Amino acid sequence: DVPGNCLEKDPATQKFVFQQTMMRISNPEKSLDFYTRILGMTLVEKYDFEGARFSLYFLLQCNPADVPEDPKERKLWL
């Protein structure tokens, strides 16, 4: 049993999709593990902004095989 873990899902939100959000995080490794392993999301793109000291991670609910490998194609696909 984990505090805060809800085992009884709300039927009113059963078909909702977590599409996008923006969060500030201090530990990308830990956060990526949660979103990819626990929520089943796929990391599709990462942009580093060294001068501003932050990175953007784009995660989606998708089949990893559907993500184009070519960066230009992937940008259009997103």
Side-chain angles (χ1 to χ4, degrees):
D1 190 44
V2 178
N5 183 34
C6 180
L7 298 177
E8 295 180 27
K9 308 297 182 200
D10 185 341
T13 61
Q14 186 174 20
K15 295 189 180 201
F16 283 17
V17 175
F18 184 68
Q19 184 183 16
Q20 63 184 7
T21 189
M22 193 286 287
M23 291 178 248
R24 289 183 179 259
I25 57 172
S26 60
N27 187 328
E29 185 177 340
K30 198 174 202 180
S31 296
L32 286 171
D33 176 66
F34 172 77
Y35 285 101
T36 57
R37 185 172 54 86
I38 304 298
L39 295 183
M41 299 182 88
T42 299
L43 177 63
V44 295
E45 194 67 69
K46 178 184 179 227
Y47 297 107
D48 294 312
F49 296 87
E50 309 238 347
R53 299 182 324 173
F54 75 92
S55 298
L56 292 177
Y57 298 83
F58 289 85
L59 297 109
L60 299 174
Q61 292 281 357
C62 67
N63 181 342
D66 293 339
V67 180
E69 289 192 33
D70 178 68
K72 289 180 183 180
E73 288 180 30
R74 189 171 47 248
K75 190 172 183 178
L76 292 172
W77 180 81
L78 285 171

